[in-house]
Amino acid sequence: MATASKAVTDSRANLPFVYRQYSAEQLKQVLHKMYLIRRFEEGAEECYTRGLIHGTMHLSIGQEASAMGICMPLAEDDQITSTHRGHGHCIAKGAEVKRMFAEFFGKTTGYCKGRGGSMHIADVGKGNLGANGIVGGGIPIAVGAALSSKMMKTGKVVVSFFGDGANNEGAFHEALNMAAVWKLPVIFVCENNGYGMSTSTARSTAVKNIAERAAAYSMPGVIVNGNIFSEVAEASHQAIARARAGEGPTLIESKTYRHRGHSKSDRNRYRTKEEIEDWMSNRDPIILFESELREFGFIDDKGIEAIRDAVAQEIAEGIEFAKASPSPDISETGNYVYTEQA
Amino acid sequence: MDAMVRELSYAQAIQEAMAIAMDMDERVFLMGEDIGVYGGAFQVTGDLVERYGADRVIDTPISELGGAGVAVGAALTGMRPIFEFQFSDFATLAMEQIVNQAAKMRFMLGGEVSVPVVMRFPAGSGTGAAAQHSQSLEAWLGHVPGLKVIQPATPYDAKGMLLAAVADPDPVMIFEHKLLYKMKGPVPEGYYTVPIGKADICREGRDLTIVATSIMVQKALDAAAALESEGIDVEVVDLRTIRPMDKQTVIDSVKKTSRLLCVYEAVKTLGIGAEVSAMIAESEAFDYLDAPIVRLGGAETPIPYNPELEKATVPQIPDIVTAARDLAKGVR
Ligand SMILES: Cc1ncc(C[n+]2csc(CCOP(=O)(O)OP(=O)(O)O)c2C)c(N)n1
Ligand SMILES: [Mg+2]
């Protein structure tokens, strides 16, 4: 990955991490992708409302900087495990939105050929081993992938995304312990959006910060503002370096917020309108990043407009692609249960 | 005394049963994920937290193994917990406490203790929630001595069987099909129980017996109504309890009709249909059979997301009609 030249970095010496680390082009790419996530979620939501997508879905609107900050410093063949709120992770790791839409429409061109839907969105080719319907289900799997990396000497780093709710599952504790004991190249990323469904962390979790739990497993526990891209990316960068050096896992707690309800059937009874409003208008990760980019002279209004237009077109094309794609045939109900013999 | 009978949904019937149980016995309390202010993922607990308080309607962290275990421990020591799994699929995370502990504790301790815990499992497909939120795992638990496993198919039974479960001294596992929650039906006010371990002949007929469970009971009744115009007279038996199974009701029905079709949503192989068929094959009803027993169950696959595939994966009314007609007419 090309990074900013020395001359450029010197002139940015006092700026936050990402502005020293990445080229202007890369930073614009990040903004582009954050918009892509936002508009993808909005597009999926609209398709759902119009009855084009069925089932349920969990939108990550408000958590874009967290997904991008963690994934930006990863190499293409590094891997992630994701969650039920996994659309943003998938895009951040490099997925094409048209194949994601196709999956949500239940089409054969979707990433899971219409078998998985939103809750199982994956992009194995880009190292996304899959969202998960089971809270905490991906955490030990990431440790297993990291064990493969170590045993097969591939040098891959594995990131496990999970929510604050997942830190109370046994799988979280068992997985962190093994990763630490075996010094595996894995990064645990807890996206703490304050609630597991309706249950606040204050009501569910004995520690104030989930990062404190790292101490129990002798690994660094890092807290970042998950709505500030640079903070997240810097923590990710350091954890990746540690993992690649064979020093073992890190637990990153990325504090963020979901703007939408938990799923499509949430009446938001457990939080106030004011709270939601505050996060939406004062701490929106895209607005925060965009104004920094503008302030530091990386982009102007025209550049932002161009990104928004390009994203809008990509989303529209993605939805059209999904609509036009074929559905699986009923005769294929039994496919993929076992590995097909050649 | 005839209690007032109203139309309630299946979910409302369960909620009413839980309220009655809590009113009658202060040891009864509810535990589960998001059952308080959220009202439960399927709005079954609804506003009970407002009426009974957060001490009796307890939101747990997302900790199924621990949560189920806490319910077992409380039941072991004098309380009467009703534990809600958000989806029956998450029983897989709690299998240790259900199978190794709750089911066996009384036995292992030589009858010194009992575990009067009730666990509720929203189950089944049809909601587009894909492979990890759509399973029918009741036969897994039905395989474990020490547990009682029930599948009420109507609002009336949902209330009466839940109250029977709370009164039962042993662990009772209730599988509630998610698509039934909105189903309406007559439910009397006040306390009544529907016995665990008793099947229900919900339609009498002469030509063949359909033994169905849960959501398949209504589908079987619809299929039976469709076949009536063809002159095929179907008897529908709602098994209601899969452990301990009411063998006699099924045996008597098959002796009368001489033909048996088992219909259930769970994966066909090694399921309830296998048990019912084998039970008939071992019984005196075997000699009365005029045709091989037929099973209609779920396809041998996880539940897919795509809605057409999802429907094709579990028995639908036309499938039951065809299977029943073929069986009645001797088509193999
Ligand atoms: C084992 C398990 N338990 C419960 C659920 C139901 N459920 C799905 S998401 C969720 C909340 C998860 O909260 P968190 O981990 O904080 O992630 P967030 O939704 O906030 O992104 C719950 C309870 C589940 N899918 N899996
Ligand atoms: Mg959360």
Side-chain angles (χ1 to χ4, degrees):
Chain A
M1 182 179 301
T3 51
S5 72
K6 184 155 182 343
V8 174
T9 44
D10 285 350
S11 71
R12 304 177 190 171
N14 294 323
L15 299 187
F17 173 79
V18 290
Y19 304 102
R20 289 175 271 130
Q21 184 69 17
Y22 297 122
S23 70
E25 220 22 68
Q26 287 176 312
L27 291 168
K28 279 190 233 171
Q29 265 305 314
V30 171
L31 184 66
H32 179 105
K33 280 218 185 181
M34 280 168 62
Y35 266 115
L36 195 60
I37 296 172
R38 175 74 52 101
R39 299 286 180 258
F40 177 85
E41 300 289 42
E42 289 168 352
E45 187 173 41
E46 197 195 321
C47 291
Y48 181 91
T49 310
R50 287 165 53 201
L52 296 167
I53 296 175
H54 77 304
T56 190
M57 60 173 88
H58 308 86
L59 302 175
S60 69
I61 294 177
Q63 305 188 181
E64 295 88 349
S66 187
M68 275 311 297
I70 295 296
C71 289
M72 182 67 185
L74 289 173
E76 181 159 324
D77 67 347
D78 287 335
Q79 293 167 323
I80 67 169
T81 64
S82 169
T83 71
H84 58 282
R85 202 173 304 288
H87 311 161
H89 308 146
C90 198
I91 293 172
K93 194 65 180 66
E96 293 180 273
V97 292
K98 63 177 189 178
R99 293 194 61 196
M100 293 176 65
F101 276 123
E103 185 57 34
F104 293 13
F105 279 61
K107 301 298 181 70
T108 54
T109 51
Y111 276 112
C112 311
K113 304 191 179 67
R115 270 49 172 204
S118 157
M119 216 157 18
H120 303 289
I121 195 72
D123 178 6
V124 178
K126 286 275 164 62
N128 180 356
L129 302 176
N132 213 304
I134 301 301
V135 168
I139 308 176
I141 292 172
V143 175
L147 181 63
S148 284
S149 168
K150 187 173 177 181
M151 295 178 90
M152 296 165 76
K153 300 190 173 45
T154 59
K156 288 182 195 176
V157 166
V158 187
V159 166
S160 178
F161 286 102
F162 53 92
D164 47 285
N167 97 96
N168 293 314
E169 289 282 14
F172 165 87
H173 296 271
E174 297 180 25
L176 263 69
N177 184 56
M178 281 184 277
V181 170
W182 298 332
K183 285 206 180 330
L184 297 178
V186 57
I187 302 166
F188 301 102
V189 178
C190 179
E191 296 189 306
N192 182 351
N193 56 15
Y195 300 89
M197 210 156 148
S198 68
T199 310
S200 66
T201 52
R203 293 204 298 131
S204 68
T205 303
V207 288
K208 186 149 181 293
N209 300 300
I210 285 144
E212 291 168 33
R213 297 210 149 147
Y217 305 106
S218 284
M219 66 178 80
V222 184
I223 298 174
V224 295
N225 181 333
N227 284 15
I228 298 183
F229 169 68
S230 187
E231 269 201 37
V232 184
E234 183 167 14
S236 177
H237 200 82
Q238 284 171 2
I240 292 168
R242 181 177 143 83
R244 288 216 209 280
E247 290 163 22
T250 302
L251 171 59
I252 298 174
E253 177 178 5
S254 173
K255 297 214 191 249
T256 181
Y257 198 79
R258 62 168 155 75
H259 292 183
R260 294 294 194 272
H262 166 71
S263 68
K264 298 313 295 178
S265 53
D266 186 347
R267 294 171 300 166
N268 276 316
R269 284 210 177 151
Y270 49 88
R271 52 183 194 174
T272 61
K273 277 206 181 70
E274 293 70 35
E275 178 184 297
I276 301 171
E277 188 46 45
D278 173 44
W279 280 88
M280 285 178 68
S281 37
N282 302 326
R283 286 180 265 180
D284 184 306
I286 297 183
I287 296 175
L288 292 178
F289 183 51
E290 196 175 272
S291 29
E292 272 188 359
L293 283 177
R294 219 194 300 249
E295 182 189 333
F296 301 147
F298 289 96
I299 202 165
D300 55 16
D301 287 350
K302 242 181 80 197
I304 292 171
E305 211 46 50
I307 286 176
R308 290 183 188 162
D309 289 347
V311 166
Q313 191 176 341
E314 205 172 334
I315 296 297
E317 284 170 7
I319 292 173
E320 285 316 308
F321 172 83
K323 280 187 190 161
S325 291
S327 287
D329 194 86
I330 298 295
S331 66
E332 297 168 355
T333 301
N335 287 12
Y336 315 121
V337 180
Y338 296 100
T339 305
E340 294 72 28
Q341 301 299 322
Chain B
M1 187 193 75
D2 270 353
M4 255 280 277
V5 176
R6 307 116 325 138
E7 290 277 308
L8 289 189
S9 73
Y10 188 98
Q12 287 168 329
I14 295 168
Q15 185 184 119
E16 185 167 281
M18 294 192 293
I20 291 172
M22 286 197 283
D23 287 337
M24 287 175 51
D25 184 344
E26 61 188 20
R27 298 170 303 168
V28 176
F29 70 100
L30 315 182
M31 275 177 79
E33 291 163 15
D34 306 288
I35 65 168
V37 64
Y38 198 93
F42 300 98
Q43 295 303 311
V44 176
T45 45
D47 66 356
L48 288 179
V49 70
E50 280 156 42
R51 289 152 63 191
Y52 295 92
D55 291 342
R56 286 183 88 188
V57 182
I58 303 175
D59 274 337
T60 68
I62 309 174
S63 307
E64 288 79 11
L65 174 63
V70 169
V72 170
L76 180 73
T77 49
M79 298 298 286
R80 292 270 176 169
I82 303 176
F83 186 85
E84 174 178 299
F85 281 88
Q86 202 161 85
F87 285 77
S88 68
D89 310 70
F90 312 151
T92 55
L93 285 85
M95 274 300 176
E96 196 287 300
Q97 286 294 325
I98 299 171
V99 175
N100 294 322
Q101 312 297 344
K104 299 173 175 55
M105 202 136 257
R106 177 168 177 80
F107 176 81
M108 295 185 298
L109 273 55
E112 291 295 318
V113 297
S114 58
V115 183
V117 69
V118 175
M119 296 189 181
R120 299 183 32 247
F121 302 89
S125 69
T127 64
Q132 295 173 336
H133 284 71
S134 305
Q135 300 172 84
S136 298
L137 300 176
E138 56 277 356
W140 285 28
L141 297 185
H143 193 64
V144 182
L147 301 180
K148 297 181 180 178
V149 183
I150 65 178
Q151 289 185 281
T154 63
Y156 180 92
D157 283 354
K159 177 176 171 184
M161 295 188 90
L162 181 76
L163 286 168
V166 173
D168 198 288
D170 292 314
V172 181
M173 311 286 119
I174 310 180
F175 283 81
E176 304 161 356
H177 200 291
K178 284 165 280 185
L179 296 186
L180 290 177
Y181 281 134
K182 293 207 164 88
M183 174 205 218
K184 293 213 159 181
V187 179
E189 280 183 341
Y191 186 84
Y192 67 92
T193 59
V194 172
I196 293 169
K198 257 333 274 147
D200 179 36
I201 299 169
C202 40
R203 180 193 162 106
E204 294 199 28
R206 283 169 289 114
D207 296 334
L208 85 149
T209 298
I210 298 181
V211 171
T213 55
S214 189
I215 195 165
M216 291 300 158
V217 173
Q218 189 54 49
K219 290 189 179 179
L221 288 169
D222 291 347
L227 288 164
E228 199 176 87
S229 58
E230 300 179 22
I232 298 172
D233 190 15
V234 180
E235 177 146 307
V236 177
V237 178
D238 173 1
L239 209 49
R240 293 202 291 200
T241 300
I242 64 169
R243 172 180 282 273
M245 197 177 281
D246 179 358
K247 298 178 185 175
Q248 202 55 53
T249 299
V250 181
I251 289 169
D252 292 344
S253 176
V254 173
K255 278 164 76 177
K256 182 172 80 172
T257 65
S258 302
R259 290 184 160 86
L260 173 61
L261 170 64
C262 302
V263 187
Y264 50 109
E265 176 168 324
V267 172
K268 178 177 165 184
T269 304
L270 291 162
I272 289 162
E275 184 53 39
V276 171
S277 310
M279 186 271 289
I280 289 300
E282 287 172 342
S283 79
E284 78 257 26
F286 182 72
D287 290 330
Y288 292 75
L289 286 175
D290 285 343
I293 298 167
V294 177
R295 287 178 293 162
L296 259 190
E300 307 293 320
T301 165
I303 302 291
Y305 165 72
N306 174 286
E308 280 78 39
L309 292 188
E310 182 181 23
K311 272 194 212 93
T313 299
V314 301
Q316 304 295 342
I317 295 167
D319 304 321
I320 305 174
V321 168
T322 305
R325 183 192 293 126
D326 288 353
L327 181 57
K329 295 196 169 159
V331 182
R332 299 248 177 113

